Amino acid sequence: MKLHTLLSSLASYTGDVSQNPTITSIENDNRLVQPGSLFVCVKGYTVDGHDFAEAAVASGAAAIVAEKPLSLSVPVIVVKDTYRAMAMLADKFYEHPTQKLKLIGITGTNGKTTISHLIEKLLSDDNKKTGLIGTMYTKIADKIFETKNTTPDSVTLQKTFHAMAEEGVDAAVMEVSSHALELGRVHGCDYDLAIFTNLTQDHLDFHKTMERYKFAKSLLFSQLGNAYYDDKRKYAIINVDDEAAVDLISYTAAHVVTYGIDQDADVRATDIEITSSGTTFMLHARGEKLPMKLQLVGKFSVYNVLAAVAAGLCLNLKLPDIIASLEEVKGVSGRFELVNEGQDYTVIVDYAHTPDSLENVMKTVNEFAKGNTFVVVGCGGDRDKTKRPIMANIACEYATYPIFTSDNPRTEKPEDILKDMEAGVAGKSYTTIIDRKEAIYASIKQAKPGDVIVIAGKGHETYQEIGKQRFDFDDRVIARQAIQEQL
Ligand SMILES: CC(=O)N[C@H]1[C@@H](OP(=O)(O)OP(=O)(O)OC[C@H]2O[C@@H](n3ccc(=O)[nH]c3=O)[C@H](O)[C@@H]2O)O[C@H](CO)[C@@H](O)[C@@H]1O[C@H](C)C(=O)N[C@@H](C)C(=O)N[C@H](CCC(=O)O)C(=O)O
Ligand SMILES: Nc1ncnc2c1ncn2[C@@H]1O[C@H](COP(=O)(O)OP(=O)(O)OP(=O)(O)O)[C@@H](O)[C@H]1O
Ligand SMILES: N[C@H](CCC[C@H](N)C(=O)O)C(=O)O
Ligand SMILES: [Mg+2]
């Protein structure tokens, strides 16, 4: 694409654009620049991309987008905000890919990965070709690609949508993290449905206050737009049991569909019954009242299913088909995943890494545990420190035997993270075992018939990040080994 054509996506810029080179790709990392690339200089949290502009030109960059004039041999286009400009340029370069498919965005503290998989199942059961972008991977039809972030940067994102459109994908479902919203990674995405799960404490290291965190989430709903044409309706699907709902509804001009359990809602569950193997409830939607029998466990799973039902209805699927598809779902990898080697106690690996998710999971297991409960839990390094004592407190409140251990310490000292956790539970009874493998083994060695062990925080992760290195580590594999050694 010619530079001038690409620049038509920007509302304003300065700089000498007398040359009009052909642009072959957009990059924000100089190490990926090829001859003909447009290099966008982004001020990051670690380094400033402007410092790599010269290196980008040396690698063949045909033009630079920056926030200040730079003296270089190629055109330098100066904009106020390179994050925002990069998203617009990427959308243009990849020919507005999100206008070529249905796009469903899910935001909220917990439940995004789960709901995205539920909706993908609804769509593929309706014979649609699907795409998925989220914490575990990016999926284009049947092909799976590794991802670094839950929501990638805008160039990777638009490139992925372009690949989806080329592959003939009908609908893409994606997790939209609050970081992505705050950093404008999703500017330029044309969403058809936006879903809000819940807002509870996480990521305060990044957003600083809950108000600011809520504001970031709200950006998805203000971005949704207000097209009311019958073939391009926009829907905001909102959990009304969460107190942020009122604000989020006020930010959108799209159609609003609510879901909930405690409050009256367009899609609602009543008469919920939870066992260790599933959940039943009555589903109320569009004037109908139908029973549902899930293989997923817990009240939080009912919320996720209600969000998926609401999405299915907005996508014009039939209620009986939606119910049949969702009743088939056995679970999502690392979310309330049972490790069953025939032992007479229950072992659950779950991705709870926030206070709210830990509390939900522990409340759920307490509803069916016949014996004692254990929780093996840690907190991630280089992340919100204020959630550490709260999570420790929840562990002590809901488990008979809380065991504190390491999650992904990253560049922090594991001992320091554990000290932050312990600060929340002075005088309470708990055990601390720094090594996660030893902690898992300790819980399994002590388990008696009827007990429930929850191994929380890492779910599907197959690594442990210590320092800047990732080591092979899978809670499910370790738990299985430990159980077998006891049998
Ligand atoms: C705080 C944050 O979001 N950081 C993201 C950010 O990194 P950064 O600001 O540190 O980037 P940087 O290293 O300073 O580099 C600045 C610029 O210089 C460029 N550069 C850098 C070095 C070089 O040699 N050459 C070069 O050109 C970089 O490509 C970049 O454009 O930009 C990177 C590239 O897009 C992201 O991968 C990175 O996410 C890091 C890995 C991260 O941990 N992010 C987390 C906090 C995050 O975003 N999490 C959310 C939510 C998860 C959830 O739902 O719970 C997510 O969406 O994943
Ligand atoms: N609707 C929900 N409400 C509260 N907790 C939930 C809900 N759904 C799932 N959880 C809990 O949160 C954990 C993470 O779920 P999931 O991966 O679906 O959320 P996420 O929003 O994608 O998380 P992340 O921000 O890490 O991407 C689960 O393992 C479970 O403990
Ligand atoms: N997307 C979340 C995942 C946290 C998972 C947990 N195991 C941790 O490392 O803190 C984050 O990056 O904050
Ligand atoms: Mg996720």
Side-chain angles (χ1 to χ4, degrees):
M1 185 178 284
K2 286 287 187 189
L3 177 65
H4 289 176
T5 311
L6 196 50
L7 291 181
S8 67
S9 62
L10 301 181
S12 67
Y13 55 86
T14 56
D16 178 2
V17 285
S18 48
Q19 295 173 51
N20 189 17
T22 299
I23 301 300
T24 54
S25 77
I26 302 179
E27 305 294 351
N28 60 42
D29 187 328
N30 77 286
R31 292 162 293 194
L32 303 176
V33 166
Q34 301 286 328
S37 297
L38 174 80
F39 179 68
V40 185
C41 306
V42 168
K43 269 191 208 142
Y45 285 83
T46 327
V47 292
D48 184 349
H50 291 80
D51 297 339
F52 303 100
E54 230 175 275
V57 174
S59 301
I64 303 288
V65 175
E67 290 182 0
K68 59 185 181 197
L70 301 169
S71 174
L72 297 166
S73 56
V74 299
V76 177
I77 295 98
V78 180
V79 296
K80 281 210 176 62
D81 178 349
T82 45
Y83 269 112
R84 187 177 283 267
M86 182 164 73
M88 302 305 164
L89 291 163
D91 175 50
K92 175 82 181 170
F93 185 79
Y94 289 107
E95 297 165 330
H96 314 298
T98 56
Q99 290 178 13
K100 297 176 187 157
L101 37 80
K102 278 260 175 238
L103 183 60
I104 300 139
I106 305 158
T107 199
T109 309
N110 295 306
K112 301 182 293 297
T113 299
T114 308
I115 296 170
S116 63
H117 282 81
L118 298 180
I119 296 175
E120 198 210 10
K121 163 98 168 83
L122 290 180
L123 289 162
S124 52
D125 286 354
D126 189 45
N127 297 316
K128 297 284 188 295
K129 217 175 213 189
T130 58
L132 187 144
I133 299 172
T135 310
M136 295 204 280
Y137 41 70
T138 284
K139 206 165 146 204
I140 304 179
D142 294 331
K143 288 187 226 96
I144 287 189
F145 304 88
E146 254 189 55
T147 41
K148 182 152 108 193
N149 289 103
T150 289
T151 312
D153 67 84
S154 57
V155 176
T156 310
L157 198 54
Q158 296 300 336
K159 192 176 183 175
T160 305
F161 289 134
H162 177 73
M164 286 181 183
E166 294 279 286
E167 189 69 31
V169 162
D170 302 294
V173 42
M174 69 179 289
E175 296 180 50
V176 190
S177 69
S178 55
H179 294 79
L181 287 158
E182 185 75 44
L183 296 172
R185 293 181 198 159
V186 295
H187 283 161
C189 293
D190 184 21
Y191 290 102
D192 297 281
L193 263 65
I195 300 174
F196 168 67
T197 67
N198 44 59
L199 183 82
T200 58
Q201 183 181 334
D202 201 11
H203 304 309
L204 291 186
D205 53 325
F206 184 80
H207 299 290
K208 308 297 178 210
T209 65
M210 284 302 288
E211 263 313 297
R212 204 53 219 176
Y213 182 29
K214 180 166 76 178
F215 170 76
K217 296 281 178 211
S218 74
L219 293 172
L220 182 64
F221 299 91
S222 53
Q223 172 170 343
L224 184 59
N226 67 344
Y228 286 108
Y229 313 108
D230 280 347
D231 61 341
K232 198 129 184 44
R233 283 174 164 227
K234 308 266 186 170
Y235 296 94
I237 298 175
I238 309 267
N239 171 9
V240 274
D241 286 351
D242 193 289
E243 52 182 49
V246 179
D247 283 349
L248 297 187
I249 290 171
S250 73
Y251 291 137
T252 186
H255 294 273
V256 172
V257 176
T258 58
Y259 68 94
I261 297 172
D262 303 330
Q263 309 285 324
D264 193 15
D266 299 324
V267 177
R268 188 174 184 192
T270 59
D271 308 288
I272 299 172
E273 284 183 27
I274 297 163
T275 69
S276 62
S277 58
T279 310
T280 60
F281 63 91
M282 292 305 296
L283 173 70
H284 305 250
R286 297 215 172 144
E288 298 207 61
K289 184 179 175 193
L290 298 161
M292 269 193 93
K293 191 167 190 290
L294 302 178
Q295 298 179 59
L296 305 173
V297 181
K299 189 177 174 188
F300 64 92
S301 299
V302 177
Y303 278 107
N304 296 339
V305 164
L306 293 178
V309 170
L313 290 172
C314 295
L315 291 163
N316 293 324
L317 304 182
K318 296 200 171 62
L319 196 52
D321 295 342
I322 296 173
I323 293 175
S325 286
L326 295 174
E327 285 186 339
E328 278 172 13
V329 177
K330 291 198 165 43
V332 176
S333 173
R335 275 79 185 153
F336 218 87
E337 185 175 333
L338 294 175
V339 181
N340 191 351
E341 295 293 297
Q343 76 278 13
D344 52 13
Y345 50 91
T346 304
V347 177
I348 297 163
V349 168
D350 186 79
Y351 199 45
H353 56 79
T354 66
D356 180 57
S357 55
L358 189 62
E359 186 168 5
N360 283 322
V361 168
M362 294 312 295
K363 269 189 187 161
T364 302
V365 300
N366 278 313
E367 291 202 28
F368 62 77
K370 294 194 179 67
N372 290 318
T373 50
F374 293 73
V375 63
V376 178
V377 64
C379 292
D382 302 335
R383 294 287 187 272
D384 188 353
K385 289 188 179 168
T386 61
K387 70 179 178 182
R388 295 173 186 171
I390 307 173
M391 285 175 67
N393 208 10
I394 289 167
C396 289
E397 190 169 329
Y398 292 98
T400 332
Y401 298 112
I403 303 178
F404 300 156
T405 189
S406 302
D407 190 290
N408 292 312
R410 301 194 177 85
T411 64
E412 284 191 67
K413 272 187 55 202
E415 294 84 349
D416 292 347
I417 300 174
L418 285 160
K419 270 191 202 123
D420 288 343
M421 290 180 74
E422 289 165 347
V425 289
K428 296 195 177 162
S429 163
Y430 61 86
T431 312
T432 300
I433 305 174
I434 295 186
D435 184 88
R436 191 169 179 94
K437 182 174 173 186
E438 276 177 33
I440 293 173
Y441 266 76
S443 68
I444 285 167
K445 268 192 196 137
Q446 290 172 61
K448 304 237 164 15
D451 286 357
V452 181
I453 300 174
V454 174
I455 304 170
K458 291 180 56 59
H460 64 281
E461 292 176 357
T462 53
Y463 59 85
Q464 189 175 26
E465 198 171 329
I466 304 175
K468 296 205 171 200
Q469 250 184 301
R470 285 186 171 190
F471 298 88
D472 284 349
F473 196 102
D474 186 325
D475 283 350
R476 296 158 299 186
V477 173
I478 306 289
R480 211 166 285 133
Q481 279 169 8
I483 296 166
Q484 276 167 0
E485 286 179 26
Q486 292 299 304
L487 284 176

